[in-house]
Amino acid sequence: TRDWAVEMGFGLFAAPGFESQTVTVVANTRAIDVGALNKALAARGLSIADGYGSLKGRTFRIAHMADTTEADMRELFAAMNEHLSHA
């Protein structure tokens, strides 16, 4: 997930060494419309979480915990890539 974020031109919010193993907080350095992205993902039964408070729109969170598989993550990234290629 962190590799995807960096490869797509986003930043990582957590300082190196303090990253979570269950959720990645992506710095929205590309200034995308996170709400529009999440709406497009919802149409496919997928979702991410917007930042909250002062971080709303400036970050978004991608969960990768519990029974989430690599295939689930590949599906999410493919859907996100498709949306971002048209944004």
Side-chain angles (χ1 to χ4, degrees), residues 55-84:
L55 297 177
K56 186 173 180 80
R58 295 179 45 215
T59 64
F60 56 92
R61 295 167 285 150
I62 301 174
H64 37 79
M65 63 181 101
D67 59 353
T68 303
T69 66
E70 287 186 39
D72 295 333
M73 298 309 296
R74 283 192 296 273
E75 178 185 9
L76 176 66
F77 297 143
M80 292 174 76
N81 290 348
E82 183 178 327
H83 176 80
L84 293 170

Side-chain angles (χ1 to χ4, degrees), residues 5-86:
V6 171
E7 288 169 9
M8 292 304 294
F10 294 104
L12 300 175
F13 186 74
F18 292 92
E19 302 92 340
S20 170
Q21 298 304 310
T22 59
V23 65
T24 295
V25 182
V26 179
N28 187 9
T29 54
R30 291 180 50 178
I32 65 162
D33 182 336
V34 177
L37 171 58
N38 217 10
K39 184 176 181 180
L41 292 174
R44 295 176 174 216
L46 304 167
S47 67
I48 59 170
D50 199 346
Y52 54 91
S54 65
L55 297 177
K56 186 173 180 80
R58 295 179 45 215
T59 64
F60 56 92
R61 295 167 285 150
I62 301 174
H64 37 79
M65 63 181 101
D67 59 353
T68 303
T69 66
E70 287 186 39
D72 295 333
M73 298 309 296
R74 283 192 296 273
E75 178 185 9
L76 176 66
F77 297 143
M80 292 174 76
N81 290 348
E82 183 178 327
H83 176 80
L84 293 170
S85 71
H86 297 100

